[in-house]
């Protein structure tokens, strides 16, 4: 069975779910998408548009982090930079695409999720970005690759594929063609994996 | 600990969660609300506004019904009547408020949820509505009470209270002041109940 994880670093629930994927004991194919672009295309509304929902999400995500026993401390400076337009929301998923192309995704991916949701790394300045990659012993040129037309085209193709398959938010998981939305559906994903192994 | 269930009959997840409440083995205070009104007031978007999300919700709700081993067969004629404006969305929650005032809520409530999400009862015509109550051995006048100013005022007060407490969808549960949104948060509710009993 093919297990695909559709994600964006800007989602706390994608971060939480990502911490559980190694425990599934099944290979995962990762599809980075620009979820704000996807939601806009299909008429879905992001949580920040509804203040009571956004407030609750923060509390709820912290509850899941406690349950999973993983750190949860949103990188406030990073989100501030995104809100102020100093950082393109999609840059981080483009970095993931670049890392896939450079063959260093396994190193980058969990570290980047942790930097966004459980760290204070400076990802808004050029210096900070280079330091982030240096600490992972990755080539700083990955940021340039993330800005290349080739990576931008690949992300656009990922977004289009996600929309075609019915994605309206992240994290979304596909077990072959069965779709599961949300960190809170990992039990269903686990059951689908178990069923595929029993069959 | 006070356990409050905020619900509307138009939500499949409120139906699913409601089938589990007896299993919590804790008294429940029921707050009927007109969730479409609440969502509009606070800027939340109902699922039907995003077709891929609405499609997925149907599949996902059926998965939960299978997990819970409860019937799930949306009353299509009822929703068609609501879409066509032949039936006020809020009439069913007003009937719940009327049943609370008449002291027959315990009889009406599970039967009404079942009629909406696992039945084909005619709730759109006057005759059908009266037959529905007759089958429950309830007084047909409950429908008139549901239309009374007193019940309408009470529902408006419920909506205002829900908004004040941060409700943005149903089902929502309050364990004293802790809020939990969604059928998929019942495990958290269960843990809060257990903790309150241990304390």
């Amino acid at each position: 069975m093919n297990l695909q994880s559709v994600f964006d670093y800007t989602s706390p629930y994608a971060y939480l779910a990502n911490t559980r994927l190694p425990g599934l004991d099944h290979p995962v194919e990762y599809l980075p998408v620009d979820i704000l672009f996807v939601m806009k295309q299909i008429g879905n509304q992001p949580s920040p548009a509804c203040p009571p929902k956004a407030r609750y999400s923060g509390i709820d995500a912290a509850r899941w982090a406690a349950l999973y026993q993983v750190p949860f401390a949103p990188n406030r400076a990073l989100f501030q930079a995104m809100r102020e337009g100093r950082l393109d929301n999609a840059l981080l998923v483009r970095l993931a695409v670049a890392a896939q192309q450079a063959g260093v995704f396994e190193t980058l991916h969990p570290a980047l999720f942790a930097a966004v949701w459980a760290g204070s790394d400076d990802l808004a300045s050029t210096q900070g970005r280079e330091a982030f990659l240096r600490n992972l012993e990755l080539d700083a040129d990955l940021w340039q690759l993330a800005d290349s037309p080739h990576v931008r085209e690949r992300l656009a193709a990922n977004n289009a594929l996600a929309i075609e398959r019915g994605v309206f938010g992240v994290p979304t998981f596909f077990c072959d063609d069965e779709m599961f939305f949300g960190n809170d559906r990992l039990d269903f994903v686990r059951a689908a994996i178990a069923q595929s192994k029993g069959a």
Side-chain angles (χ1 to χ4, degrees), chain A:
Chain A
M1 191 199 70
N2 181 262
L3 171 60
Q4 188 182 53
S5 170
V6 183
F7 72 95
D8 186 336
Y9 297 104
T10 56
S11 159
Y13 294 110
Y15 157 70
L16 289 162
N18 196 66
T19 67
R20 306 296 273 189
L21 297 187
L24 294 179
D25 199 24
H26 193 87
V28 180
E29 181 192 307
Y30 292 90
L31 191 80
V33 299
D34 176 356
I35 195 58
L36 285 178
F37 174 86
V38 168
M39 291 175 90
K40 201 168 176 183
Q41 291 295 308
I42 53 142
N44 201 5
Q45 173 179 284
S47 279
C50 175
K53 192 172 178 180
R55 266 196 302 278
Y56 172 78
S57 289
I59 295 166
D60 182 61
R63 283 181 187 142
W64 284 97
L67 186 69
Y68 289 174
Q69 299 185 283
V70 295
F72 185 70
N75 188 329
R76 304 206 179 277
L78 174 70
F79 289 106
Q80 187 65 26
M82 284 182 180
R83 273 192 300 272
E84 290 173 3
R86 288 182 284 119
L87 180 67
D88 179 353
N89 277 302
L91 176 62
L92 303 186
V93 281
R94 289 208 311 275
L95 191 68
V97 173
Q100 286 177 329
Q101 296 188 353
V104 297
F105 180 79
E106 298 297 323
T107 301
L108 176 84
H109 179 63
L112 189 47
F113 253 135
V116 176
W117 292 106
S120 55
D121 304 68
D122 169 18
L123 292 169
S125 79
T126 306
Q127 278 187 320
R129 280 180 210 153
E130 289 179 1
F132 172 72
L133 290 184
R134 207 163 42 237
N135 289 341
L136 295 172
E137 297 181 12
L138 295 177
D139 192 329
D141 285 355
L142 208 58
W143 290 109
Q144 278 72 58
L145 182 57
D147 273 334
S148 69
H150 187 64
V151 161
R152 288 174 183 270
E153 282 159 22
R154 181 55 196 253
L155 181 59
N158 287 359
N159 293 341
L161 176 64
I163 289 169
E164 189 191 316
R165 298 197 86 182
V167 170
F168 56 86
V170 289
T172 291
F173 304 97
F174 287 97
C175 295
D176 289 335
D177 287 331
E178 276 194 297
M179 176 173 144
F180 301 91
F181 167 65
N183 162 65
D184 44 25
R185 294 303 183 270
L186 282 175
D187 282 345
F188 285 153
V189 171
R190 207 170 281 116
I193 293 170
Q195 199 181 16
S196 78
K197 286 183 177 166

